Amino acid sequence: MEFLEKLEAYKKREKELAWEGSFKEYLEIVKKRPYVAQLAHSRIYNMIKSHGIENTGEGKKYRFFASELFGLDKTLAKLVEEYFHPAARRLDVRKRILLLMGPVSGGKSTLVTLLKRGLEKYSRTEEGALYAIKGCPMHEEPLHLIPKELREDFEKEFGVYIEGELCPRCQVMLEEEYQGNIEEVRVERIFLSEEKRVGIGTFSPSDPKSQDIAELTGSVDFSALPKYGAESDPRAYRFDGELNIANRGIMEFQEMLKCDEKFLWNLLSLSQEGNFKAGRFALIYADELIVAHTNEAEYKAFISNKKNEALLSRMIVIKIPYNLKVSEEVKIYEKLIKQSDLTNIHIAPHALRVAAMFSVLSRLKESKKQGMDLIKKMKLYDGEHVEGFVPKDVAELQNEVEEEGMSGVDPRYVINRLSSALIKTDTACINPLDVLRALKDGLDQHPSITKEEKERYLNLVSLVRKEYDEIAKKEVQKAFVYSFEESAKNLFNNYLDNVEAYCNGTKLKDPITDEELDPDEKLMRSIEEQIGISETAKKSFREEILIRLSIYARKGKVFDYNAHERLKEAIEKKLFADLKDVVKITTSTKTPDAQQLKKLNEVGERLINHHGYCPVCANELLKYVGSLLNR
């Protein structure tokens, strides 16, 4: 069986990855591969970097996050460049608690989970390999065995910086089991794992009255007390708190600001000095990233309390807002739906898009910029062309409002409503109108929104409905164009010939009669008017097209139908305008004749074969557009 072969290969690979040897042998590994001794923040940064960095027009995109987090590229770039990178270089920010602050369902937990799972996988690679003293409950870095007096010499010879001291258990083990012979101490390769409690810890707050600090720092092993006689003997102590086991990796503090103060006090010295107090021992060194998350309301309450100033100064706060790009929001819903087993239900084109538009609109703030409304803002943020605005306007809009994306409809609400629509539907397909209906109906059941918010959200549903009306009409009109690309190319080339003649002051030759003709002003204006080019602006627009055409020719590139976004839009709108009457008559008639029926069937087939529709939603779309055109 193929699966059994894979199982055998897995077991073989596990054996190959495992390593155990003496400290002396470990030093040989360090000499050849000094990165095995890197500190936790450095390992996390290199893990993120190893997946690749993409330079986009808006800045850097770290591919490590690409499969799970969408629309947060700027935030994630800030996180990596302002926290992880300097922390990896041993700058002081590594001693700070990383606090992710943002609205519910904004991606904070997903981000932390990504870091955890990423570390687990990375520790199994050559670049992410790490080793520990065998038997140490805190998975101690073996280089801590080297006395302080010799560390400077070690760094000169090996080029490796050593930070930290042996934990109390290892100090006793070195003296009792190895009689101080450092080179004989056993070392093993370890693999970070949250499940096995190796290098990854998670602390969740519960009832402060019943929750014990031992969950963080470990506890006395009363069964071992009779043997070792005192609580101050490390062998009579369980170093199994979340801060202990997270050494060498990452410690997640869930809903940190909900915790009782006594739990937060332990973080004061850990975040500043890199050590914490446990039992009757001296301060214990820990090399770990402490990452916490909270919402805005709790954060504001926390900073308003003067008692929290010491801890606040030891935090790096990164805001994790909601995504504000429609195309990225669609990816969130696609990811969540793929995780279910609803593979038998077809989701019509634009069904998730209308949900995404509703979500993003709810998160945007009104702009004071003249001529800017929420729909235009939404489109600009998503990289769409909006008449009268240029890409630099996006930066101005983003700077206009500080808290944008920190409130609004969360993805969980949308997924809950989508789930309701997917489960309740009697057909094998849901369309955009089903989704809008589900979003609207869900507002009555939403427990936390005010009457004013509900009114605003209902208005947004209406706005999205109007946007979808335009999308639906375009979909059908495009499908009605027989050989759409061919028709568009012919019109495009015709326009270019006329523009070239107009700009150069020459005439065109009729291909049939060889008669010399003036440039067709009526044709050019009928196309330019589709995108709002005025009579006074036509000359500069045509000259711009001609310049672009010559640039392409000089570079040996073809200036085709898709080369100029605005001209492409104008060509499409012109074709749609010419077809509007045909579409209206064909889709709206209740008893189509044989010719109209044939045309409808052709359009339906085109929607199914080329636009992602199924027979059900294609038919619904044609009916809906017919009703729209009859209004």
Side-chain angles (χ1 to χ4, degrees):
M1 286 174 69
E2 191 180 339
F3 178 74
L4 290 176
E5 289 172 7
K6 287 180 180 177
L7 194 60
E8 281 302 315
Y10 173 79
K11 289 195 289 184
K12 185 182 176 184
R13 191 165 62 250
E14 290 295 293
K15 285 180 182 177
E16 289 170 355
L17 285 173
W19 181 91
E20 185 181 326
S22 66
F23 179 70
K24 186 178 178 182
E25 290 170 310
Y26 174 64
L27 287 183
E28 291 299 318
I29 293 174
V30 173
K31 193 147 197 170
K32 290 176 188 172
R33 298 181 288 151
Y35 54 80
V36 299
Q38 64 188 319
L39 297 172
H41 287 83
S42 177
R43 183 171 284 104
I44 293 169
Y45 173 67
N46 286 326
M47 169 194 73
I48 294 169
K49 211 168 63 164
S50 70
H51 285 74
I53 305 167
E54 188 181 328
N55 285 307
T56 67
E58 297 178 349
K60 288 183 179 177
K61 181 175 182 176
Y62 289 85
R63 290 186 187 134
F64 172 77
F65 306 103
S67 64
E68 293 290 328
L69 293 167
F70 306 101
L72 296 175
D73 292 343
K74 281 187 178 179
T75 301
L76 296 170
K78 182 181 179 182
L79 171 64
V80 175
E81 288 154 22
E82 293 187 12
Y83 183 77
F84 284 122
H85 191 187
R89 303 298 296 272
R90 301 206 310 270
L91 289 169
D92 213 44
V93 294
R94 72 194 173 101
K95 296 177 180 177
R96 307 288 180 267
I97 298 162
L98 175 61
L99 181 65
L100 307 175
M101 187 268 289
V104 294
S105 189
K108 303 184 296 294
S109 299
T110 304
L111 172 53
V112 179
T113 302
L114 260 180
L115 292 172
K116 287 178 178 180
R117 299 297 86 84
L119 268 181
E120 289 177 343
K121 290 178 183 175
Y122 192 60
S123 69
R124 305 179 75 80
T125 65
E126 177 70 20
E127 300 80 16
L130 70 161
Y131 298 78
I133 297 171
K134 188 175 182 182
C136 174
M138 291 182 62
H139 329 295
E140 193 89 39
E141 165 59 62
L143 295 182
H144 291 175
L145 290 160
I146 296 173
K148 280 186 178 181
E149 293 78 8
L150 298 177
R151 290 185 180 183
E152 194 174 325
D153 295 334
F154 179 85
E155 188 171 355
K156 284 177 185 176
E157 184 179 341
F158 284 75
V160 174
Y161 169 78
I162 303 173
E163 178 182 284
E165 311 302 324
L166 287 174
C167 73
R169 180 76 66 86
C170 285
Q171 290 175 22
V172 171
M173 184 167 60
L174 178 62
E175 295 304 319
E176 297 287 329
E177 293 184 32
Y178 296 100
Q179 287 75 49
N181 293 319
I182 292 170
E183 58 271 30
E184 292 177 14
V185 173
R186 301 304 290 172
V187 174
E188 63 181 351
R189 182 173 177 180
I190 60 168
F191 306 102
L192 303 186
S193 167
E194 183 170 26
E195 186 183 343
K196 295 178 180 177
R197 293 173 61 76
V198 179
I200 299 175
T202 304
F203 181 81
S204 298
S206 59
D207 182 7
K209 293 175 183 175
S210 60
Q211 195 162 26
D212 194 343
I213 197 70
E215 288 184 39
L216 272 183
T217 59
S219 58
V220 175
D221 183 357
F222 291 103
S223 64
L225 269 180
K227 184 177 179 181
Y228 298 109
E231 291 182 15
S232 57
D233 191 311
R235 292 166 296 184
Y237 195 86
R238 292 193 182 99
F239 293 88
D240 60 357
E242 299 302 321
L243 291 177
N244 303 103
I245 65 104
N247 186 38
R248 313 292 301 283
I250 184 170
M251 153 69 177
E252 178 189 8
F253 224 115
Q254 294 180 347
E255 300 297 340
M256 176 184 172
L257 304 186
K258 283 190 172 85
C259 284
D260 190 71
E261 287 177 346
K262 65 181 178 182
F263 294 97
L264 300 180
W265 291 335
N266 273 276
L267 303 179
L268 285 173
S269 65
L270 182 58
S271 58
Q272 187 58 43
E273 308 299 333
N275 48 44
F276 64 93
K277 190 79 175 75
R280 297 181 181 181
F281 308 108
L283 290 170
I284 299 171
Y285 171 80
D287 168 32
E288 58 197 66
L289 159 68
I290 301 175
V291 57
H293 39 88
T294 189
N295 61 49
E296 196 172 9
E298 284 171 355
Y299 178 70
K300 284 180 177 176
F302 180 78
I303 61 175
S304 65
N305 189 341
K306 292 287 183 185
K307 289 197 297 182
N308 297 325
E309 283 181 357
L311 190 59
L312 190 62
S313 69
R314 291 168 167 85
M315 289 179 180
I316 296 283
V317 181
I318 299 286
K319 288 183 180 179
I320 308 290
Y322 285 133
N323 157 59
L324 297 176
K325 290 185 177 182
V326 171
S327 55
E328 297 294 309
E329 189 75 9
V330 169
K331 292 176 186 175
I332 296 173
Y333 304 150
E334 286 173 341
K335 180 191 83 170
L336 294 170
I337 289 169
K338 276 179 187 173
Q339 292 169 0
S340 74
D341 64 353
L342 289 168
T343 52
N344 60 323
I345 296 175
H346 179 252
I347 298 174
H350 308 292
L352 297 183
R353 182 171 176 78
V354 297
M357 285 195 284
F358 170 71
S359 298
V360 170
L361 285 170
S362 75
R363 300 164 190 170
L364 295 177
K365 304 289 184 187
E366 293 283 355
S367 172
K368 294 174 184 174
K369 205 173 183 71
Q370 192 173 2
M372 178 62 63
D373 58 30
L374 282 182
I375 292 288
K376 288 178 181 175
K377 193 176 190 181
M378 173 189 77
K379 289 179 177 179
L380 277 172
Y381 276 16
D382 206 30
E384 290 185 49
H385 172 75
V386 176
E387 188 64 41
F389 297 95
V390 291
K392 73 170 187 178
D393 289 321
V394 175
E396 290 178 17
L397 289 168
Q398 288 169 337
N399 294 330
E400 194 178 36
V401 185
E402 189 181 340
E403 295 298 308
E404 198 162 51
M406 297 300 282
S407 62
V409 170
D410 65 281
R412 283 188 196 134
Y413 170 76
V414 175
I415 283 297
N416 289 346
R417 298 314 303 156
L418 284 173
S419 302
S420 174
L422 286 164
I423 294 297
K424 286 181 183 176
T425 182
D426 297 326
T427 69
C429 174
I430 65 162
N431 61 44
L433 296 175
D434 295 326
V435 171
L436 286 174
R437 202 174 295 115
L439 290 171
K440 186 179 178 181
D441 293 345
L443 294 174
D444 291 325
Q445 303 162 24
H446 203 296
S448 61
I449 62 170
T450 62
K451 187 179 178 182
E452 291 76 18
E453 283 175 324
K454 182 184 173 184
E455 196 65 40
R456 178 171 170 262
Y457 290 160
L458 287 171
N459 289 334
L460 293 180
V461 170
S462 299
L463 270 180
V464 175
R465 171 76 176 266
K466 286 175 187 173
E467 274 301 296
Y468 173 65
D469 289 351
E470 293 306 309
I471 292 169
K473 283 188 275 190
K474 282 184 182 178
E475 286 278 85
V476 172
Q477 287 167 341
K478 189 179 285 191
F480 258 88
V481 180
Y482 179 73
S483 185
F484 177 75
E485 287 287 330
E486 200 59 41
S487 303
K489 283 175 188 174
N490 290 336
L491 186 56
F492 175 79
N493 289 326
N494 198 358
Y495 176 80
L496 285 185
D497 289 341
N498 280 278
V499 163
E500 202 167 1
Y502 170 85
C503 292
N504 293 331
T506 59
K507 293 192 180 271
L508 292 163
K509 190 175 281 190
D510 189 296
I512 299 169
T513 65
D514 279 348
E515 181 189 354
E516 287 195 336
L517 303 168
D518 289 325
D520 190 342
E521 184 66 23
K522 189 177 178 183
L523 171 75
M524 290 187 286
R525 290 302 295 140
S526 70
I527 292 169
E528 291 156 358
E529 284 170 351
Q530 300 296 329
I531 52 170
I533 303 295
S534 65
E535 184 70 29
T536 53
K538 70 180 183 182
K539 188 172 184 290
S540 59
F541 180 75
R542 292 169 189 176
E543 286 171 349
E544 180 208 324
I545 296 293
L546 198 61
I547 290 167
R548 185 81 69 92
L549 182 63
S550 64
I551 289 170
Y552 269 62
R554 196 166 63 248
K555 291 181 178 178
K557 293 163 70 179
V558 177
F559 187 70
D560 64 12
Y561 165 64
N562 294 302
H564 194 286
E565 195 60 42
R566 291 191 70 206
L567 183 54
K568 180 186 176 183
E569 183 188 350
I571 296 288
E572 288 182 0
K573 283 186 174 180
K574 167 65 177 162
L575 284 170
F576 295 158
D578 292 347
L579 277 166
K580 188 172 182 181
D581 289 338
V582 179
V583 174
K584 183 176 178 180
I585 293 165
T586 313
T587 56
S588 60
T589 183
K590 290 180 181 177
T591 54
D593 59 31
Q595 188 64 31
Q596 289 170 338
L597 197 59
K598 182 186 175 188
K599 192 69 179 173
L600 273 175
N601 289 336
E602 284 177 4
V603 171
E605 283 177 24
R606 207 164 292 131
L607 286 169
I608 294 164
N609 296 332
H610 301 288
H611 298 280
Y613 288 82
C614 73
V616 175
C617 56
N619 188 44
E620 289 293 327
L621 178 70
L622 288 169
K623 281 183 185 174
Y624 182 62
V625 170
S627 69
L628 285 177
L629 294 175
N630 260 336
R631 287 178 187 173

